[in-house]
Amino acid sequence: MGCAQRSYPAGDGVRSLNGASPSRRAAQAVDALRHGWPIALVGGPVLLPAETAIAASAASDRMLIGAARAETLKLANQREAAVPHAPVLVRGAEPFDLAAARAMADPALDLATPLKGPFRAEPIDWREGAAAALELARIAGILPAFMVDPIEAGEAQPFAPADLAALADQGSLVIATRAHLPVAAGEDAEILAFRSADDMREHVALVFGKPVSDRAPLVRLHSECLTGDVLGSLKCDCGPQLDAALEAASAEGRKGGWGVVLYLRQEGRGIGLVNKLRAYRLQDQGHDTIDANRRLGLPDEARDFPVAARMLDLLGARAVRLMTNNPAKVTALEAAGVRVAERVPHRLPDNPHNTRYLATKRDRAGHLLP
């Protein structure tokens, strides 16, 4: 492994694309990262995911991480750290083996595995691909850290940075099925399941009442929270928010209107269950929810609101009364083509375990909370 910066022609060998569609290539790249297989960027290097890699003998003198993680490790300057999710290329004085790469990736190992420098950040001439790779890792639910052009990485899955846009295209989302589902909030609810060809997430909508052409439905976008919705976690307000939203949507149906709760499969504001629990561990050490995500190198907000807009379109809801305390959610939904006729506050009491979490949402994320 030499120290010279390599150049990567767009059609370079293994990096040439197969005949699959962009959305299929993107889905295959996500699957590869989950399995610990490398991806080969068109116009860039081969990247091996540090967390899941199965190539035990892989080694590299460079790693790709996010700026927030690099700043935590004191490997990024202030300008880089100002954009927390920008890619940073780090070269080590000695090659990273798999154990060293995982220590670079995971803040849970910071104390147990001190890094051996020196290190330096290097320019990236394949920045678009680097940013796409970090986003692919987030979608795959793994830590955003890669070994760059490692030896003995194994066969790589080709991926073009432009393929990433195909995952955000909601054109293939359809209503897969629907059924009557009596629930505690209302016995006349209907549940609809939505599916997309290249997305394993299956979102659902609960609809109360019948669509009324001259009345915007009361809508709640609820992102999946296993710990809060199912296990009754007191660290967040997700479970009570879901229960209250179902009650409000059902009441809207009983009044002659219609109410909709979209249940979106994007755990942890889009970072996935495992990474959310990693963030919980950092919160136990004193970090708030935003700083915990950033120490992992992950966004504090990565939810997919265009998918909610497409679901509402399929339901025939072109305008909505949105139950939310988050003005950014209103902005995101309107940017995706849904008119928000009214923002309806959705406030619930706190408890001793989530007071700081709610304060962080108010003070750092701009939520309109008491």
Side-chain angles (χ1 to χ4, degrees):
M1 293 174 291
C3 293
Q5 179 82 3
R6 290 186 57 185
S7 60
Y8 299 98
D12 186 17
V14 68
R15 297 170 182 84
S16 61
L17 297 178
N18 54 31
S21 67
S23 61
R24 182 57 53 87
R25 285 195 300 266
Q28 289 171 337
V30 170
D31 187 61
L33 297 184
R34 287 176 176 149
H35 281 85
W37 304 331
I39 59 173
L41 295 179
V42 172
V46 169
L47 299 175
L48 183 66
E51 178 188 348
T52 57
I54 58 174
S57 58
S60 173
D61 55 4
R62 292 177 298 158
M63 284 198 63
L64 178 71
I65 57 178
R69 177 64 180 148
E71 194 275 335
T72 296
L73 298 171
K74 310 303 181 188
L75 300 177
N77 61 35
Q78 288 185 333
R79 184 171 62 182
E80 289 170 325
V83 185
H85 314 300
V88 173
L89 184 64
V90 176
R91 182 181 293 275
E94 298 181 1
F96 296 95
D97 60 14
L98 203 50
R102 286 173 175 160
M104 178 72 77
D106 191 350
L109 302 175
D110 284 350
L111 296 179
T113 312
L115 294 174
K116 298 178 181 179
F119 304 101
R120 73 169 185 264
E122 296 189 339
I124 306 176
D125 58 8
W126 38 278
R127 182 164 290 274
E128 181 185 4
L134 294 180
E135 179 64 5
L136 280 179
R138 195 274 305 169
I139 294 170
I142 65 173
L143 291 169
F146 295 89
M147 302 170 76
V148 179
D149 273 336
I151 61 170
E152 300 189 33
E155 184 178 356
Q157 168 66 38
F159 174 76
D163 293 343
L164 190 62
L167 287 182
D169 181 8
Q170 304 300 333
S172 64
L173 190 74
V174 297
I175 297 174
T177 192
R178 60 203 304 163
H180 171 235
L181 182 70
V183 295
E187 297 182 2
D188 295 326
E190 182 181 28
I191 187 169
L192 298 90
F194 298 78
R195 177 184 288 160
S196 180
D198 295 311
D199 189 344
M200 293 182 65
R201 300 173 302 173
E202 294 172 332
H203 309 287
V204 299
L206 243 66
V207 179
F208 299 86
K210 300 297 181 183
V212 181
S213 59
D214 62 346
R215 186 168 179 176
L218 180 67
V219 171
R220 172 68 180 170
L221 311 185
H222 187 89
S223 295
E224 178 181 31
C225 178
L226 173 70
T227 49
D229 300 340
V230 179
L231 303 178
S233 168
L234 299 177
K235 284 180 68 71
C236 63
D237 56 347
C238 298
Q241 279 192 333
L242 177 59
D243 293 340
L246 290 169
E247 292 288 349
S250 178
E252 193 71 13
R254 292 193 298 271
K255 291 187 294 186
W258 56 310
V260 179
V261 175
L262 302 186
Y263 196 82
L264 306 170
R265 305 298 300 277
Q266 40 193 13
E267 181 80 50
R269 292 178 173 263
I271 67 171
L273 176 62
V274 172
N275 282 330
K276 183 179 85 167
L277 299 184
R278 287 182 170 126
Y280 278 3
R281 179 172 178 169
L282 292 173
Q283 289 170 35
D284 290 342
Q285 297 173 10
H287 303 286
D288 69 24
T289 182
I290 291 177
D291 286 337
N293 281 32
R294 291 180 178 177
R295 289 183 74 85
L296 291 165
L298 292 163
D300 44 88
E301 175 58 89
R303 286 177 289 185
D304 180 0
F305 292 116
V307 72
R310 173 62 176 160
M311 292 168 70
L312 291 170
D313 181 62
L314 291 170
L315 292 173
R318 308 298 190 272
V320 300
R321 295 161 52 230
L322 188 64
M323 289 186 69
T324 184
N325 302 323
N326 185 359
K329 191 180 286 189
V330 174
T331 301
L333 206 57
E334 289 187 327
V338 177
R339 184 172 68 87
V340 178
E342 179 186 2
R343 185 189 69 82
V344 179
H346 192 40
R347 295 175 180 168
L348 296 164
D350 59 3
N351 69 64
H353 299 277
N354 68 15
T355 301
R356 187 186 182 198
Y357 167 74
L358 295 178
T360 299
K361 288 205 295 184
R362 180 194 64 214
D363 299 337
R364 300 191 64 186
H367 289 216
L368 302 175
L369 298 169

